[in-house]
Amino acid sequence: MGETQSALFPNYARYPFTFVKGEGSRLWDENGKEYLDLMCGLAVTGLGHAPKQVTERLKEQVDTLWHTSNLFHNPGQEKLAQILVANSCADAVFFCNSGAEANEAAIKIARRYFSKVLEQPERNEIITFDMSFHGRTLATLTATGQQKVQDGFAPLPPGFVYAPYNDAEAVEKLISPRTCAIMLELVQGEGGVNPADPDFVKAVAELCERHGLLLILDEIQTGIGRTGKLFAYEHYGIEPDVITLAKGLGNGFPIGAMLGKEKLRNALSAGSHGTTYGGNYLATATGIATMETILAEDASGKAAAMGDYIMSELKTRLASNPLVGQIRGLGLLIGLGLTVPGADIIKSIHEQGVLVVPAGPNVIRLAPSLLISKEDVDRGLDVICETLAKAAAAAAV
Ligand SMILES: *Cc1c(COP(=O)(O)O)cnc(C)c1O
């Protein structure tokens, strides 16, 4: 191997920054330069970097016990599951290590519920949506309605069909005697920050009810306060059968969860599914501290208020900017649609010490800490709006 060559696979296109320290909405690079973080490691560090309430619990747990395996009882899993169940419409929880694994568990429980509990193994097809994102494992990249995510990985597992987003009639046409579930993001995160229409969500929930399908909500990006409610489904007046979580749940410590309604409990009988690390002591200590802090500080309510403020500021300040298209989102998951490719604009915003992230080629995504201060938000908005004004002026010459 060449000495100057990286020993990593080149599967990530990385920005030219190396961060060495974080606190709240601040990051510092190896030269001591400070950055304002408006992306939270892809909607993960909802309480900001290194929040005291969480780091203290994690440090305590590091000194006590890390891992025993899922062959033994685990009080941290029980406690975190109780918190999630008490604060959602779900009744039972399975812990894993990532979003893709949570969605794998959701796909598996849907198939197994129909094959083993209802004894209808022919019903194994799941309807998902164009421009969705559900993960990078073989089943979840197949569930993902984006060609670029599937490219080169054939043969893909069967059992997935795709509907256009926000089109309930198209969903209805895809329902057949083989359908077992509909899998949906209430705001498509990676697909461009596309919120679902309330009428569409109601219609999909109704279709599930009428046809006996499971409604699986992928809340991996929208959950844990991100959209201004603890779970995005609370905005829509519906109840899913399955919820998947990951990103915000451990504030950066790897943990995922699949939550399900009571009728699904026995679909995952002993030995039917599992993972070595899922819900280990470090992960659940972090998850418990994160959830308790989010609930105690009403981080969801704060996200709702700050999200409204950012949205109205962006709409006012960018109203006459010809480079700006639709501004959309829910709570603190905000997409700034551009009429041009966003890469150069994002690069310029980064160079001014503000971290934002694209969601597709033409959308700048904001996903700041749920607890971000108004001063930080105002500074970020100044940089974003001034950069877009300059870019518009340059484009006009
Ligand atoms: C990030 C994400 C995933 C995948 O999570 P990983 O932890 O990267 O496997 C799945 N669904 C949605 C909606 C996501 O945002």
Side-chain angles (χ1 to χ4, degrees):
M1 193 189 81
E3 263 171 48
T4 55
Q5 188 172 334
S6 169
L8 296 170
F9 278 107
N11 57 311
Y12 299 109
R14 296 177 196 267
Y15 292 116
F17 306 113
T18 307
F19 297 110
V20 295
K21 186 175 138 76
E23 191 185 315
S25 289
R26 295 270 178 301
L27 282 168
W28 287 269
D29 73 10
E30 59 204 333
N31 304 314
K33 181 175 170 185
E34 188 180 298
Y35 294 77
L36 175 64
D37 184 358
L38 300 184
M39 60 173 276
C40 281
L42 287 170
V44 168
T45 53
L47 294 173
H49 297 284
K52 278 260 160 344
Q53 305 94 316
V54 182
T55 56
E56 273 161 20
R57 290 282 281 282
L58 180 56
K59 282 183 203 165
E60 246 171 64
Q61 193 61 51
V62 163
D63 285 334
T64 312
L65 184 61
W66 293 17
H67 179 89
T68 59
S69 94
N70 283 311
L71 296 172
F72 304 102
H73 291 288
N74 181 321
Q77 282 186 27
E78 288 288 349
K79 182 163 181 188
L80 183 52
Q82 291 292 348
I83 294 171
L84 291 170
V85 162
N87 289 283
S88 74
C89 64
D91 302 296
V93 183
F94 165 78
F95 288 110
C96 51
N97 311 287
S98 69
E101 279 178 68
N103 283 338
E104 282 277 344
I107 292 163
K108 286 183 73 175
I109 204 172
R111 288 185 175 179
R112 207 159 194 281
Y113 173 67
F114 277 88
S115 69
K116 297 290 182 186
V117 179
L118 300 183
E119 298 186 353
Q120 300 175 340
E122 69 286 356
R123 295 181 71 180
N124 51 41
E125 195 170 84
I126 299 178
I127 298 173
T128 73
F129 292 88
D130 295 341
M131 294 309 288
S132 59
F133 183 80
H134 297 299
R136 302 283 194 167
T137 61
L138 274 172
T140 59
L141 74 80
T142 307
T144 294
Q146 296 191 56
Q147 194 59 49
K148 67 172 190 196
V149 177
Q150 302 173 347
D151 189 29
F153 296 116
L156 304 181
F160 297 92
V161 293
Y162 313 92
Y165 196 59
N166 279 331
D167 184 345
E169 264 173 47
V171 174
E172 186 160 18
K173 284 195 189 118
L174 284 174
I175 295 173
S176 80
R178 293 199 49 198
T179 313
C180 69
I182 298 177
M183 186 168 186
L184 176 67
E185 291 162 275
L186 293 174
V187 182
Q188 289 187 329
E190 303 310 303
V193 191
N194 307 311
D197 296 335
D199 288 347
F200 164 72
V201 176
K202 282 227 170 67
V204 166
E206 217 177 272
L207 285 172
C208 287
E209 186 75 35
R210 181 152 25 110
H211 295 272
L213 311 176
L214 296 179
L215 178 56
I216 301 171
L217 292 184
D218 179 344
E219 292 236 27
I220 288 162
Q221 189 153 165
T222 56
I224 319 296
R226 174 56 52 196
T227 68
K229 303 264 190 199
L230 192 57
F231 303 104
Y233 77 81
E234 297 170 49
H235 290 283
Y236 289 90
I238 54 137
E239 283 197 359
D241 300 294
V242 175
I243 305 166
T244 54
L245 300 174
K247 290 192 166 86
L249 184 55
N251 208 66
F253 200 99
I255 183 168
M258 187 273 295
L259 285 58
K261 289 268 204 193
E262 186 58 41
K263 67 179 179 189
L264 298 172
R265 189 184 295 269
N266 294 323
L268 286 195
S269 54
S272 62
H273 187 53
T275 152
T276 301
Y277 292 127
N280 93 356
Y281 283 74
L282 300 181
T284 51
T286 316
I288 291 163
T290 299
M291 283 299 297
E292 286 181 348
T293 307
I294 282 183
L295 293 169
E297 307 215 353
D298 186 25
S300 309
K302 287 176 179 153
M306 196 59 82
D308 286 348
Y309 173 71
I310 294 176
M311 191 68 90
S312 82
E313 285 292 303
L314 286 174
K315 283 188 173 161
T316 311
R317 292 166 71 168
L318 297 172
S320 60
N321 190 313
L323 301 186
V324 176
Q326 196 189 30
I327 303 170
R328 53 188 184 247
L330 203 54
L332 283 178
L333 183 55
I334 294 171
L336 221 162
L338 302 175
T339 56
V340 294
D344 289 343
I345 291 163
I346 287 174
K347 181 164 181 264
S348 168
I349 292 169
H350 284 178
E351 283 164 2
Q352 296 167 77
V354 175
L355 299 174
V356 296
V357 67
N362 299 319
V363 178
I364 300 174
R365 175 173 27 174
L366 306 183
S369 163
L370 310 181
L371 304 179
I372 192 169
S373 69
K374 184 166 175 299
E375 295 73 55
D376 284 344
V377 162
D378 285 336
R379 201 188 123 223
L381 288 173
D382 285 347
V383 168
I384 292 166
C385 294
E386 280 159 26
T387 304
L388 283 163
K390 272 184 211 149
V397 208

